[in-house]
Amino acid sequence: MSLKNILENWSDYRRTAEDGGHHDYEHMWAMAIDLNKCTGCNACSVACYAENNLPTVGKKRMMKGQGMHWLRVERYWDEPDMGGDEKEYQERGGSFLPMMCQQCNAAPCEPVCPVAATYHTPDGLNAQVYNRCIGSRYCSNNCPYRLRYFNFYSYYEESWPEPLNMQLNPDLSVRDKGVMEKCTFCVQRIRVGKDAARREGREVHDGDVITACAQTCPTEAIVFGDMMDKSSKVSKIWAAHEVELGKHEQHKSDPDLRGYRVLEGLNTDPCVTYLERVREA
Amino acid sequence: MFVSEKNLFKRPGKKAGQRSVNKSLVLLFALLTSVFFVGGAHAEVPNATPPKGTHSGEDVPQPIDFPHDIHADINGINCMYCHTYARRSKVAGIPPTSKCMGCHSIIATDKPRIQKLTEYWENNEPPEWNKVHDVPDYVHFTHEKHLQRFVFNNEGMDVANVSEVCAFCHGEVKEMTVAEKVKPLNMGFCVRCHEQNGGPSDCWKCHK
């Protein structure tokens, strides 16, 4: 995307919900996460740290909210009296919600970037270009999910002392101070998958590309795939739970269907569907 | 057919392997012909506009002054014979010493550079070649895709002329001893070529 291209096609890169988001794609990478299966083990988060060169920031900075976990597992605690149900053996305890960038099709972060460092790719991904980012942090403040992370320090100086720097993934850069970053749906793996398909002269099949979190999940709660491929696992899950893209409210034939998208009422049109946890109640 | 390399070691960095006899005459003749046949010495790459831009990089010292001109120009060895990975991977690859020794256990064994190479080989040490063409870590560049576009999936392109495609970014390596960086390889250079040759213009295609 050269400067000329940006200036000419300015509106294409800055579409918001009012413009109908982005719907002319080559692929449409999406996820479905079954919260029934999620045990909150945090393996996905660890996998993400390893795959995406995420720095460890230390306890103090983590408590300030400066952690760089692209995928965080949010914990919610349920007390029996919260449900308002009189049942004796009501379910209690922790429940978990893995949160990564929702790759919104009408992403609130995109139109506010003053330098077009974040934009939508023809793959339906919400891209972040580190070289272009000037660190204004507008995007992070406009993200309703709080899933963008800012490099307040040059974390790489301390995170990987020799010989740990050898573990860094060469397929993506190590970010420096003053740059915003976020989950990319493992775009480096998507690139490899697409290149391999092209080399063999075929379409990308379901299962060719798998993100680090989905690969690691021991209960296979996270499913990743291409929504444009109607036979893919992920689009079948979306269809089975009657969740559709391009809507801010899902009308379901059966209230027992568990699929929902987080904060979809804000009309962000996210690409991650969560399957609600079934409770004893 | 291999050419003897007299006076080869006196002029490193310049085009080696040519006799100086009648050099001026040859030059004059080349100059005259080039007026009539612009670029006639080079095979054309079909469906491609070569990127423009020059750069004068600093000399990168190498453990052995590898003469690209003798191999690629005089003896006409295909670039991909040694840089095997170019066609199927991100990097073009430096050949293993065993590949050098495949020929040089027999050919030109009396030359000092080959003797140095043989020494490396017998000591089980690889020569530590220095990288000449390096793009920053935040750039995703793959040789494979570029070769597919310009060579393998390019109608009318002869694979034997692959060096013309290599020259887009690496310059006329055929005329160099050790490789020098003669193209800027910066973003403007890449983007202009992408615009002219229909490459992708999506940031995330190249930036990572």
Side-chain angles (χ1 to χ4, degrees):
Chain A
M1 193 161 71
S2 65
L3 188 64
K4 193 176 134 214
N5 185 14
I6 273 207
L7 293 173
E8 279 172 7
N9 304 311
W10 189 248
S11 53
D12 283 353
Y13 294 107
R14 307 193 146 230
R15 268 186 269 176
T16 59
E18 290 78 39
D19 306 320
H22 305 255
H23 291 288
D24 36 356
Y25 300 114
E26 294 165 18
H27 297 279
M28 177 60 138
W29 304 108
M31 265 188 195
I33 301 177
D34 192 341
L35 299 180
N36 250 355
K37 291 181 184 168
C38 177
T39 60
C41 70
N42 269 296
C44 46
S45 190
V46 173
C48 187
Y49 267 84
E51 171 75 20
N52 291 307
N53 299 343
L54 301 187
T56 45
V57 298
K59 195 174 173 183
K60 268 188 189 166
R61 287 173 186 166
M62 197 74 179
M63 284 166 77
K64 279 189 195 168
Q66 295 177 358
M68 304 299 286
H69 37 31
W70 284 5
L71 195 168
R72 59 170 192 250
V73 180
E74 293 184 350
R75 293 173 299 172
Y76 297 97
W77 191 258
D78 295 331
E79 289 293 338
D81 50 358
M82 279 172 70
D85 203 10
E86 295 294 318
K87 270 201 171 178
E88 193 180 353
Y89 299 110
Q90 201 180 26
E91 185 169 353
R92 68 167 80 188
S95 60
F96 307 96
L97 185 76
M99 281 296 278
M100 71 290 283
C101 176
Q102 307 285 304
Q103 311 288 349
C104 311
N105 286 316
C109 54
E110 286 170 16
V112 295
C113 180
V115 290
T118 179
Y119 72 101
H120 232 71
T121 69
D123 278 6
L125 293 175
N126 174 235
Q128 175 73 20
V129 186
Y130 307 123
N131 295 73
R132 185 165 268 156
C133 178
I134 56 168
S136 72
R137 286 176 280 154
Y138 283 122
C139 53
S140 165
N141 289 320
N142 216 29
C143 175
Y145 306 98
R146 284 285 172 274
L147 286 163
R148 287 177 156 266
Y149 303 96
F150 187 65
N151 285 279
F152 283 97
Y153 303 93
S154 293
Y155 296 114
Y156 67 89
E157 288 169 353
E158 293 162 19
S159 281
W160 303 284
E162 297 251 359
L164 289 185
N165 58 340
M166 302 300 278
Q167 78 178 18
L168 290 170
N169 186 352
D171 288 341
L172 73 166
S173 49
V174 177
R175 282 79 55 186
D176 200 349
K177 178 163 69 180
V179 168
M180 192 59 75
E181 59 182 63
K182 64 161 195 74
C183 162
T184 61
F185 268 9
C186 286
V187 68
Q188 65 277 10
R189 292 180 173 219
I190 295 176
R191 229 177 247 141
V192 169
K194 282 167 76 178
D195 281 2
R198 195 175 138 140
R199 190 182 304 132
E200 291 160 27
R202 58 174 172 83
E203 296 286 303
V204 180
H205 300 319
D206 191 31
D208 275 1
V209 184
I210 184 165
T211 59
C213 50
Q215 186 181 15
T216 312
C217 185
T219 57
E220 295 180 8
I222 303 177
V223 175
F224 177 79
D226 184 4
M227 284 291 286
M228 301 292 271
D229 176 8
K230 291 294 163 211
S231 61
S232 72
K233 220 172 151 189
V234 69
S235 42
K236 277 180 187 162
I237 295 176
W238 279 54
H241 289 270
E242 295 182 12
V243 185
E244 281 178 50
L245 281 169
K247 287 187 174 176
H248 61 84
E249 208 180 341
Q250 307 291 343
H251 299 284
K252 303 199 179 189
S253 56
D254 180 0
D256 284 347
L257 292 175
R258 303 185 285 133
Y260 72 97
R261 297 188 295 173
V262 177
L263 298 181
E264 66 180 344
L266 298 177
N267 209 356
T268 53
D269 202 4
C271 278
V272 183
T273 284
Y274 291 89
L275 307 186
E276 207 175 342
R277 192 162 175 231
V278 178
R279 288 159 192 281
E280 184 89 20
Chain B
M1 192 194 77
F2 293 88
V3 176
S4 79
E5 9 172 324
K6 259 181 202 170
N7 306 326
L8 204 63
F9 314 109
K10 289 173 185 168
R11 292 178 283 122
K14 297 279 171 237
K15 185 174 167 84
Q18 270 191 349
R19 314 292 171 81
S20 55
V21 192
N22 287 339
K23 196 180 170 189
S24 54
L25 261 178
V26 170
L27 263 176
L28 189 73
F29 183 70
L31 208 73
L32 278 172
T33 44
S34 66
V35 173
F36 295 105
F37 309 100
V38 181
H42 303 296
E44 286 277 313
V45 179
N47 315 316
T49 317
K52 289 193 182 99
T54 50
H55 174 87
S56 58
E58 59 277 14
D59 283 345
V60 181
Q62 302 289 0
I64 301 171
D65 285 333
F66 177 84
H68 278 93
D69 49 355
I70 294 175
H71 291 83
D73 190 16
I74 297 171
N75 293 311
I77 299 170
N78 193 304
C79 303
M80 290 189 297
Y81 178 73
C82 297
H83 299 291
T84 327
Y85 308 117
R87 79 193 81 150
R88 54 187 157 99
S89 133
K90 280 207 245 183
V91 291
I94 299 284
T97 317
S98 57
K99 186 153 238 167
C100 307
M101 292 310 289
C103 297
H104 282 298
S105 51
I106 299 165
I107 295 163
T109 46
D110 56 331
K111 307 289 186 250
R113 279 190 288 205
I114 305 303
Q115 283 162 357
K116 199 172 171 189
L117 176 77
T118 316
E119 206 175 292
Y120 276 115
W121 172 247
E122 280 166 358
N123 294 339
N124 266 336
E125 278 174 23
E128 289 189 13
W129 303 106
N130 292 311
K131 202 162 184 178
V132 179
H133 297 90
D134 199 6
V135 288
D137 286 349
Y138 50 76
V139 175
H140 168 81
F141 175 84
T142 145
H143 277 88
E144 179 206 350
K145 275 197 164 179
H146 289 86
L147 283 188
Q148 286 191 347
R149 160 67 179 82
F150 288 117
V151 183
F152 299 112
N153 295 339
N154 193 1
E155 217 172 288
M157 177 69 195
D158 187 0
V159 180
N161 295 334
V162 72
S163 66
E164 302 302 327
V165 172
C166 303
F168 285 3
C169 302
H170 297 288
E172 291 295 329
V173 181
K174 272 182 172 182
E175 292 163 11
M176 300 174 194
T177 307
V178 292
E180 292 163 42
K181 189 181 167 190
V182 293
K183 300 281 180 179
L185 302 189
N186 53 18
M187 184 169 155
F189 179 79
C190 297
V191 168
R192 277 194 299 276
C193 186
H194 272 224
E195 278 176 351
Q196 285 165 349
N197 294 302
S201 60
D202 183 27
C203 302
W204 253 9
K205 281 279 192 288
C206 311
H207 282 287
K208 59 182 188 181

